[in-house]
């Protein structure tokens, strides 16, 4: 089943580092534990955990993860190491502006005489890791995010737990929506990908599922809800991804993303990123606006539930514990084999090595013909298009 076979390492490994970066997700501690139990317990290496993502490497804040330090972590949510969304090449400085602190990270890596660094994170972490690989650091990464949007892997640590939480919320919203004859809109995380809203929407029996990959027409959503009323169901559950967009907004976003991706100078890139973030800010409250529109179009009362950080908190599911343990132990084998610059990706039953530089270049969104989309349509779920 597994494609990874331990081989004799070319260079004896003595000490490795580990960090967690980006938004936290359930299963991070299970992954740290798996790396530690294999590296420290099986091979007798030293393991240093850096605090708060890449910031801990910049500031040289760390903790020694010995055998005792790895106890009791499997079921803990969050990350015992702390995390941050800091970008080493653009660290804010007092008084405004940013400074490139990449050299400080390289220095910390060398000072601790690390043979490798394990970075656990999502898209931003992989971009940071790719820059550090270019500076000569031996990095192996693990994909983590509740959004499941990391490129070139089927699965990410934390997604399954968040999916379970969002599904339970939809289950619970049914009885109150039904009792009050209301539309209840549940806003589900996922950044610019619809995996969480789609998966939870199907599993939780949502009547409407809106995801960024399928721009919606509010008139069509309202028509689907009215049709349900005509057939005797005068309540509806709408699962909306935080990144879901009406058609007009989707065109604007596509243009802004293209501008950012095509920018060839630092100045142009900065301007494009600023335009994108201003656009994102202006969309704040879009789910409330959707609720108002649906009330006007259907004459039913609408309420909004924003799931928010509940989706990221608490104990990891069995699936995430298994995934984290499998990926974490494999990361250590990658290091033994000298497979640096690679992410341990999950593909079906197998684990494969994928270049971090490639992972950093894109995100994984829901393909229009994905079987989840087809299944949702077959059970008559309105996808808003
Ligand atoms: O990346 C995970 C995620 O939870 C997204 O779903 C969400 O858009 C974002 O993080 C929230 O970010 P922050 O923790 O910075 O508020």
């Amino acid at each position: 089943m597994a494609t990874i076979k331990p081989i004799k390492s070319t260079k004896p490994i003595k000490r490795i580092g580990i960090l967690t970066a980006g938004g936290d997700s359930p299963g991070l501690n299970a992954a740290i534990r798996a790396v530690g139990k294999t590296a420290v317990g099986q091979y007798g290496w030293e393991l240093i955990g850096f605090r708060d993502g890449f910031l801990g490497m910049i500031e040289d804040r760390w903790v020694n993860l010995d055998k005792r330090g790895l106890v009791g972590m499997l079921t803990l949510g969050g990350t015992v190491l702390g995390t941050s969304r800091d970008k080493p090449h653009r660290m804010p400085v007092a008084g405004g502006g940013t400074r490139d602190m990449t050299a400080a990270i390289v220095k910390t890596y060398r000072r601790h005489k690390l043979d490798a660094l394990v970075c656990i994170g999502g898209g931003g972490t992989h971009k940071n890791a790719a820059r550090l690989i270019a500076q000569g650091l031996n990095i192996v990464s693990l994909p983590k995010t509740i959004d499941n949007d990391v490129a070139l892997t089927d699965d990410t640590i934390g997604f399954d737990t968040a999916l379970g939480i969002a599904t339970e919320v939809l289950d619970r919203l049914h009885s109150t929506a039904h009792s009050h004859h209301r539309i209840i809109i549940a806003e589900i995380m996922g950044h610019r990908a619809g995996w969480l809203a789609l998966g939870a929407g199907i599993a939780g029996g949502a009547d409407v599922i809106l995801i960024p990959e399928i721009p919606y027409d509010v008139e069509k959503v309202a028509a689907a809800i009215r049709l349900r009323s005509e057939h005797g169901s005068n309540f509806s559950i709408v699962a909306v991804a935080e990144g879901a967009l009406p058609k007009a907004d989707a065109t604007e976003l596509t243009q802004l993303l293209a501008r950012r991706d095509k920018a060839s100078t630092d100045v142009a890139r900065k301007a494009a990123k600023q335009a994108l973030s201003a656009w994102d800010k202006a969309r704040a409250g879009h789910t409330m606006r959707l609720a108002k529109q649906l009330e006007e179009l259907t004459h039913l009362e609408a309420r909004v539930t924003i799931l928010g950080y509940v989706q990221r908190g608490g104990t990891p599911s069995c699936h995430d514990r298994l995934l984290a343990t499998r990926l974490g132990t494999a990361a250590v084998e990658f290091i033994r084999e000298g497979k640096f610059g690679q992410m341990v990706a999950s593909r079906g039953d197998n684990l494969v090595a994928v270049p971090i530089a490639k992972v950093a270049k894109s995100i994984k969104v829901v393909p229009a013909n994905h079987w989840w989309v087809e299944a949702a349509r077959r059970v008559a779920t309105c996808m808003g298009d």
Side-chain angles (χ1 to χ4, degrees):
M1 243 182 24
T3 50
I4 295 164
K5 292 190 187 71
I7 58 162
K8 244 190 150 37
S9 150
T10 43
K11 175 179 178 285
I13 304 286
K14 290 191 184 137
R15 189 176 301 112
I16 65 170
I18 189 167
L19 60 84
T20 52
D24 73 324
S25 73
L28 280 172
N29 290 322
I32 297 167
R33 169 184 177 271
V35 170
K37 290 221 171 221
T38 316
V40 180
Q42 299 288 318
Y43 298 133
W45 305 345
E46 277 178 57
L47 178 64
I48 287 174
F50 289 97
R51 300 276 191 200
D52 305 330
F54 294 97
L55 185 64
M57 284 198 83
I58 293 171
E59 296 175 347
D60 200 13
R61 289 188 291 111
W62 53 278
V63 56
N64 187 29
L65 292 168
D66 56 14
K67 280 187 190 166
R68 273 185 312 162
L70 296 165
V71 172
M73 289 170 67
L74 182 63
T75 60
L76 282 184
T79 160
V80 293
L81 292 177
T83 186
S84 74
R85 291 197 186 274
D86 291 303
K87 300 181 180 88
H89 69 295
R90 274 185 42 219
M91 295 302 292
V93 285
T98 60
R99 193 171 158 203
D100 187 347
M101 297 301 286
T102 307
I105 292 195
V106 177
K107 216 167 156 190
T108 301
Y109 182 93
R110 305 259 180 253
R111 184 183 307 121
H112 288 283
K113 297 190 170 51
L114 296 181
D115 296 304
L117 176 71
V118 178
C119 297
I120 314 180
T125 304
H126 282 85
K127 284 185 189 153
N128 289 337
R131 287 191 195 94
L132 294 171
I133 291 164
Q135 298 297 313
L137 269 54
N138 291 335
I139 295 183
V140 167
S141 71
L142 301 184
K144 160 273 1 171
T145 165
I146 64 160
D147 302 340
N148 194 31
D149 63 351
V150 176
L152 304 169
T153 179
D154 290 349
D155 208 353
T156 57
I157 298 166
F159 174 61
D160 181 73
T161 309
L163 192 58
I165 295 167
T167 301
E168 191 193 334
V169 169
L170 294 181
D171 287 349
R172 287 179 182 277
L173 290 175
H174 267 84
S175 58
T176 175
H178 177 264
S179 305
H180 285 267
H181 320 302
R182 281 175 175 158
I183 300 167
I184 297 198
I185 305 176
E187 186 190 285
I188 297 173
M189 277 188 171
H191 199 220
R192 297 200 204 283
W195 296 105
L196 260 186
L198 178 59
I202 296 170
D207 307 295
V208 179
I209 302 176
L210 304 177
I211 60 174
E213 294 85 347
I214 305 177
Y216 68 84
D217 175 344
V218 72
E219 298 281 352
K220 294 210 170 139
V221 176
I225 292 172
R226 280 196 304 264
L227 190 68
R228 280 175 52 75
S229 297
E230 281 160 32
H231 290 162
S233 299
N234 56 357
F235 76 96
S236 284
I237 300 291
V238 180
V240 58
E242 64 179 351
L245 301 154
K247 285 185 177 160
D249 288 11
T251 312
E252 277 177 23
L253 177 61
T254 308
Q255 287 163 355
L256 284 164
L257 290 172
R259 180 178 158 197
R260 182 200 61 187
D261 295 343
K262 279 189 199 139
S264 54
T265 64
D266 283 352
V267 176
R269 204 166 301 117
K270 193 173 168 199
K273 281 185 179 172
Q274 276 171 351
L276 186 59
S277 103
W279 187 86
D280 275 331
K281 277 199 187 110
R283 283 195 76 243
H286 66 94
T287 304
M288 299 305 289
R289 287 197 288 278
L290 173 65
K292 201 159 178 298
Q293 287 174 312
L294 290 179
E295 278 192 339
E296 283 163 11
L297 292 167
T298 64
H299 306 295
L300 287 172
E301 253 189 327
R303 292 284 190 274
V304 170
T305 295
I306 297 179
L307 274 61
Y309 297 91
V310 165
Q311 294 159 104
R312 287 199 339 211
T315 198
S317 66
C318 305
H319 175 92
D320 277 330
R321 294 180 206 183
L322 276 164
L323 180 69
T325 304
R326 191 159 179 236
L327 295 181
T329 54
V332 175
E333 296 309 331
F334 271 41
I335 293 170
R336 287 188 78 225
E337 294 172 25
K339 277 190 189 168
F340 299 124
Q342 308 289 317
M343 176 179 83
V344 189
S346 152
R347 296 272 177 81
D349 277 343
N350 295 326
L351 296 184
V352 296
V354 181
I356 289 172
K358 269 192 175 176
V359 178
K361 286 205 172 102
S362 59
I363 67 162
K364 182 184 70 184
V365 293
V366 180
N369 63 351
H370 192 272
W371 70 265
W372 282 9
V373 176
E374 284 178 16
R377 293 194 194 279
R378 278 172 193 267
V379 294
T381 312
C382 168
M383 299 296 298
D385 56 342

